[in-house]
Amino acid sequence: MIERLPSELKLIVGLARQFRIDFKKNKEKGAIKMDDYKSRLRKELEDLDFKIEKLNNFIEKNDIFKTIDLEEQELLKEQREIMNKYANILRKRIK
């Protein structure tokens, strides 16, 4: 099913899976507290926002960015866009 998704959506789904809780494993240990779950999401979002800010500053304000290969510049811009989409997903999940 994931093979049919556009590449950027595959990346988002992959990232979401990477940070998802293994509910089957945790079921044996007891119920997962919503506060713990939400606090992990908030921490992930905080870290991601920091990385987005650093990448954005590099793209927008660093003269070195202009000297790198155009394809690499486009890849970095695409990465920033996908990171922002992932951050938005985390924000929705936190609500």
Side-chain angles (χ1 to χ4, degrees), residues 33-82:
K33 294 180 181 178
M34 187 58 86
D35 290 342
D36 294 341
Y37 171 72
K38 296 274 184 163
S39 61
R40 283 193 294 274
L41 288 176
R42 282 190 286 274
K43 175 64 174 139
E44 176 64 23
L45 179 59
E46 180 183 320
D47 294 345
L48 184 58
D49 281 339
F50 177 74
K51 291 175 183 179
I52 291 169
E53 182 180 351
K54 284 178 63 175
L55 180 57
N56 194 51
N57 285 338
F58 178 68
I59 291 171
E60 301 298 329
K61 298 176 182 175
N62 194 320
D63 291 334
I64 294 172
F65 178 76
K66 297 171 189 166
T67 67
I68 61 178
D69 181 65
L70 288 178
E71 183 179 358
E72 184 70 18
Q73 287 182 24
E74 290 305 312
L75 288 171
L76 286 167
K77 289 176 184 179
E78 184 177 354
Q79 177 180 332
R80 175 180 58 178
E81 187 178 316
I82 292 169

Side-chain angles (χ1 to χ4, degrees), residues 1-3 5-6 15 19-20 29-31 41 43 54 58 60-61 64-65 75 82-83 87-88 93 95:
M1 181 172 124
I2 193 170
E3 292 80 24
L5 298 173
L15 287 170
F19 295 105
R20 197 166 278 155
K29 297 178 185 175
L41 288 176
K43 175 64 174 139
K54 284 178 63 175
F58 178 68
E60 301 298 329
K61 298 176 182 175
I64 294 172
F65 178 76
L75 288 171
I82 292 169
M83 290 169 72
N88 287 333
R93 291 178 64 200
K95 285 184 183 180

